[in-house]
Amino acid sequence: MGQITVEKNAGGISGLCVITPTVHGDERGYFVETYNQNDMKEAGLDMTFVQDNQSCSVKGVLRGLHFQKQFPQGKLVRVIKGSVFDVAVDLRPGSQTYGKWFGIELTEGNKKQFYIPKGFAHGFLVLSDIAEFCYKCTDFYHPGDEGGLAWNDPSIGIAWPQVQGTYDGTASAKGYTLTDGTPLILSEKDQLWPGLTSLQV
């Protein structure tokens, strides 16, 4: 027990949690518990995970902002290689922080985890040459149930680090780069999501 510390309501948004594990290291390397149900319950996080996912992305890839409409997922995310800037946007009807965002850099070095409950859109930007990203979900992936939100919607105003470019009124990546010249890379689908005012959750 006691292998994690939890920052609750990260960024002043109820439900978002930044979780820092205890790292046991010596000259051989390190050991860390990446998930312990008892520790999570002790911290007031009583959820059940049903699916684990892992992705690998190159520098400049931006995935998101995604959510499921009828089968919303809570996600516990972490990075096992490289660095990403991870973002959650509150889409919960009636929430006092509806439309607000919070972002955190997750790296293989800091080993922090970010818990995003149901009712949020989620996305991340890869800042390192390669990033391997892992996440646990509280519901299964349901094809056809995915919704999305424009990553660059000015009404939300996410401050994506290192990103430069001019907003053209759409979620297109055209003309956007990182500060070192790396092109911003989004899927075709992620360049078509609407802004917050047009969103139908």
Side-chain angles (χ1 to χ4, degrees), residues 3 12 36-37 54 58 62 67 132 154 163 165 175 190 195:
Q3 294 297 301
N36 183 300
Q37 188 178 57
Q54 182 170 335
V58 299
L62 195 155
F67 57 89
E132 293 186 16
V163 173
D190 285 349

Side-chain angles (χ1 to χ4, degrees), residues 123-167:
F124 65 88
L125 168 67
V126 178
L127 302 174
S128 53
D129 289 339
I130 292 285
E132 293 186 16
F133 186 85
C134 297
Y135 55 109
K136 304 175 79 68
C137 302
T138 60
D139 203 342
F140 299 102
Y141 171 70
H142 291 264
D145 190 45
E146 189 175 49
L149 184 64
W151 66 276
N152 57 349
D153 182 354
S155 71
I156 300 171
I158 298 171
W160 297 100
Q162 303 181 31
V163 173
Q164 56 187 15
T166 303
Y167 179 64

Side-chain angles (χ1 to χ4, degrees), residues 81-100:
K81 182 178 182 180
S83 171
V84 311
F85 186 69
D86 200 80
V87 171
V89 179
D90 190 352
L91 298 180
R92 296 170 297 183
S95 170
Q96 292 184 343
T97 53
Y98 180 84
K100 302 298 183 183

Side-chain angles (χ1 to χ4, degrees), residues 49-85:
F49 295 109
V50 299
Q51 182 174 324
D52 281 19
N53 300 326
Q54 182 170 335
S55 68
C56 182
S57 306
V58 299
K59 188 173 188 177
V61 166
L62 195 155
R63 296 182 184 269
L65 300 159
H66 300 150
F67 57 89
Q68 289 194 163
K69 294 177 283 188
Q70 300 301 315
F71 301 93
Q73 297 171 306
K75 295 179 180 179
L76 179 64
V77 306
R78 64 190 177 99
V79 167
I80 61 172
K81 182 178 182 180
S83 171
V84 311
F85 186 69

Side-chain angles (χ1 to χ4, degrees), residues 7-19 101-104 114-115 120:
E7 174 195 347
K8 294 185 177 181
N9 305 327
I13 301 177
S14 176
L16 294 182
C17 296
V18 176
I19 299 164
W101 68 275
F102 175 77
I104 182 172
F114 186 28
Y115 180 65
F120 285 77

